[in-house]
Amino acid sequence: MIITLLIWSGFFLSLRASSHSNLTTADIALIRFVPAALLFSWLCRHKFKRILQTPKRYLLLICWGAGLPYFLIAGQGLQYVPVADGASLIPGILPLFVSGIAVFCYRETISPARKAGLILIAIGVVGFVAKSFAAGQPGMLLGYSILLFASFSWAWFTIAMRLSGLSAMEGAAVIAISGCLLLTMGALSGQMSFNLLSSDHHEVFYHFLVQGVGVGIVSSLCYTMAISRLGAEVSAALGSFTPVLAALMAIPLFSEPLSEQTMLAMALIVMGALAASEVLPVSHSNLLKKLRRQRAG
């Protein structure tokens, strides 16, 4: 999960950097999904029958929530807002959506600690939205809305991956292969444009390392493995540390200073995410009960 956090930070920075280059979002997606699809197709060549036997609703949610649709939604949202805001909203609000889905769709009860955490997350999100109103920038409000939808999509992927029974490698294969298929459809329909061959090769190599190797291969394996080992809610909570890393890295790269309001909103989201997913046990007995439930599950 630590490796995943570092790569996620690079993911947001890479998408933000693409808005200042000749590379289109489709170019970045091509770099993101093709290397992973080639690798995982070969590694899972004997497991396609098992993958296809997975309930189709889970496969669809995995393809949408972590594949090309999520990638395009997140990339679009980051065109309007700073990296710190984007990296805070997508992984930061994730536990709120995961808990909401668990309550409404799976009738799970919410503990007082989780309720308190969700309230902190909501206050943090309001802080971001209030900043766009105060600055008179409607474009930022649109960006926040898009990023919230991206986080909602990622929440469904997190839950679907947990319930599907797929291994980390099989889940990564579903994400990568579906992304390539959708990219092909977009190219044939003329809905996507590519400038990859005419772009600077140094910039292409940078995105290949971050998106192709880091996010496409390493992060896909690490996060899906974290979900299977730690559970959906704990993995979502740990992901809330992404904005801190991304925001610090964005200061020298994009000259994006952190305002006091931004730092306060980030702190609320991080603390709320930890409390909402109950990563910090309130007592030793509660921790033992939680471990027994995980083992029984």
Side-chain angles (χ1 to χ4, degrees):
M1 195 63 204
I2 293 174
I3 296 174
T4 302
L5 292 176
L6 294 173
I7 295 175
W8 278 1
S9 300
F11 165 77
F12 288 106
L13 294 170
S14 178
L15 283 183
R16 181 65 169 171
S18 67
S19 64
H20 303 290
S21 70
N22 293 327
L23 289 173
T24 64
T25 303
D27 290 327
I28 306 297
L30 195 67
I31 297 172
R32 155 73 174 84
F33 291 105
V34 171
L38 294 174
L39 176 63
F40 293 127
S41 294
W42 184 79
L43 292 176
C44 296
R45 61 191 183 278
H46 302 304
K47 301 181 180 180
F48 282 111
K49 184 177 180 180
R50 163 181 157 77
I51 293 174
L52 293 176
Q53 290 175 345
T54 304
K56 298 301 182 290
R57 62 183 181 276
Y58 295 146
L59 292 178
L60 180 61
L61 289 172
I62 291 172
C63 295
W64 174 274
L68 182 63
Y70 162 78
F71 183 92
L72 296 177
I73 295 169
Q76 182 66 25
L78 285 172
Q79 303 300 317
Y80 299 97
V81 303
V83 170
D85 293 17
S88 293
L89 286 177
I90 293 182
I93 203 71
L94 185 61
L96 180 63
F97 286 131
V98 170
S99 296
I101 293 171
V103 170
F104 289 104
C105 298
Y106 299 98
R107 300 295 187 265
E108 181 178 328
T109 59
I110 299 181
S111 66
R114 187 177 300 177
K115 289 180 181 179
L118 297 180
I119 292 174
L120 288 176
I121 291 174
I123 295 174
V125 174
V126 170
F128 281 117
V129 176
K131 184 178 65 174
S132 69
F133 278 113
Q137 297 176 306
M140 291 186 67
L141 183 59
L142 174 62
Y144 292 148
S145 301
I146 296 173
L147 292 175
L148 288 175
F149 182 56
S151 183
F152 182 70
S153 302
W154 187 269
W156 273 112
F157 153 70
T158 302
I159 292 177
M161 188 64 208
R162 178 66 169 173
L163 298 176
S164 67
L166 294 174
S167 66
M169 191 175 299
E170 291 166 348
V174 171
I175 295 170
I177 295 173
S178 66
C180 287
L181 293 176
L182 292 175
L183 275 173
T184 302
M185 294 173 57
L188 293 177
S189 63
Q191 298 298 315
M192 295 183 176
S193 58
F194 300 89
N195 296 328
L196 193 61
L197 296 178
S198 60
S199 300
D200 180 73
H201 64 279
H202 293 292
E203 187 175 15
V204 173
F205 183 69
Y206 161 74
H207 287 290
F208 170 76
L209 290 179
V210 174
Q211 295 285 354
V213 178
V215 179
I217 297 176
V218 180
S219 177
S220 294
L221 279 176
C222 289
Y223 186 64
T224 50
M225 186 177 296
I227 293 173
S228 64
R229 301 289 181 86
L230 303 175
E233 294 181 347
V234 173
S235 300
L238 293 177
S240 64
F241 287 103
T242 303
V244 178
L245 297 175
L248 294 176
M249 295 167 66
I251 295 174
L253 290 175
F254 304 116
S255 300
E256 293 184 357
L258 296 178
S259 65
E260 293 182 359
Q261 186 174 354
T262 299
M263 288 189 289
L264 177 60
M266 286 171 52
L268 289 172
I269 288 178
V270 169
M271 290 187 297
L274 289 174
S277 295
E278 298 178 334
V279 173
L280 300 177
V282 296
S283 69
H284 184 65
S285 60
N286 286 346
L287 177 59
L288 291 178
K289 291 179 182 178
K290 189 172 183 180
L291 289 175
R292 291 193 189 104
R293 288 198 303 268
Q294 290 178 348
R295 289 171 181 172

